[in-house]
Amino acid sequence: MKYWIMKCEPEVYSIKDLARDKKTGWEGVRNYQARNFMRDDMKVGDLAFYYHSNGEPSGAAGVARITKAGTPDPHQFDKKSKYYDEKATKEKPIWITVEIEFVEEFPEIVPIERLRQEKSLAKMQLLARGNRLSILPVTAAEWETILALGRGKA
DNA sequence: GCCAACGTTGGC
DNA sequence: GCCAACGTTGGC
């Protein structure tokens, strides 16, 4: 099983929205690296931190689980969608989506500033300079560290 | 709202 | 295939 970080702006869709909806499709990803993670490496049962970007504060807000992996993103075929891609066909879809379900919301968001204070997280891709990927892998050690912070046990 | 950093596009 | 211009991301 693998661990991930999935970023979303809370004003667009927050952890509370996910808690209310129970599950949601992770659609509209239009970045090849993020797509490749979803297509090739994400498996049903994998866990992900739900990360609020551009939030107040930005940081890890909770945990979600992958419930469906690597299905074509329907928006790429929809001419009315902002995610429409004229190069995509049903036979050869370009963009991929996964479905996630709510697992837990942290009592308090773990701010990115707090993550930067952890020496063991210094090499995390999330904290790398200029990182903009919306989906990132997390190591098991990083997972445990952040989970403890999120649950207030660190 | 600013701006640095990055991915993508398109002209050549 | 290079690279400048552009658009987007995301922390602050």
Side-chain angles (χ1 to χ4, degrees):
Chain A
M1 192 186 76
K2 291 196 169 78
Y3 299 105
W4 305 93
I5 284 178
M6 302 175 83
K7 294 193 213 169
C8 191
E9 302 195 16
E11 300 205 355
V12 176
Y13 196 84
S14 76
I15 186 80
K16 291 190 190 302
D17 294 319
L18 182 61
R20 180 197 63 218
D21 295 344
K22 304 301 177 200
K23 45 179 64 178
T24 190
W26 203 258
E27 292 153 2
V29 173
R30 291 296 180 268
N31 171 284
Y32 285 104
Q33 270 183 278
R35 191 258 338 241
N36 292 347
F37 281 138
M38 289 197 290
R39 186 189 60 191
D40 303 333
D41 298 323
M42 265 191 183
K43 300 282 185 270
V44 171
D46 283 2
L47 292 172
F49 288 121
Y50 198 95
Y51 181 92
H52 284 176
S53 60
N54 270 320
E56 295 182 4
S58 295
V63 177
R65 182 185 294 113
I66 312 301
T67 50
K68 276 187 200 162
T71 55
D73 184 339
H75 293 90
Q76 67 193 310
F77 309 123
D78 178 4
K79 282 189 180 172
K80 293 196 278 291
S81 168
K82 67 184 270 201
Y83 298 119
Y84 175 67
D85 188 333
E86 60 179 9
K87 294 192 288 297
T89 64
K90 303 259 179 178
E91 292 73 29
K92 288 194 173 179
I94 298 173
W95 303 109
I96 292 294
T97 186
V98 297
E99 185 188 75
I100 63 173
E101 68 176 358
F102 176 77
V103 176
E104 73 178 270
E105 178 183 355
F106 294 148
E108 288 185 28
I109 288 177
V110 183
I112 187 168
E113 185 184 28
R114 181 71 186 85
L115 298 177
R116 289 191 196 284
Q117 289 170 6
E118 288 295 316
K119 279 195 182 142
S120 59
L121 300 177
K123 289 183 191 153
M124 243 189 126
Q125 289 192 43
L126 175 73
L127 303 179
R129 179 181 168 82
N131 159 66
R132 299 186 342 184
L133 262 187
S134 59
I135 297 179
L136 293 164
V138 173
T139 68
E142 290 162 353
W143 179 267
E144 295 301 329
T145 301
I146 298 172
L147 194 63
L149 288 170
R151 290 174 173 169
K153 292 176 185 166

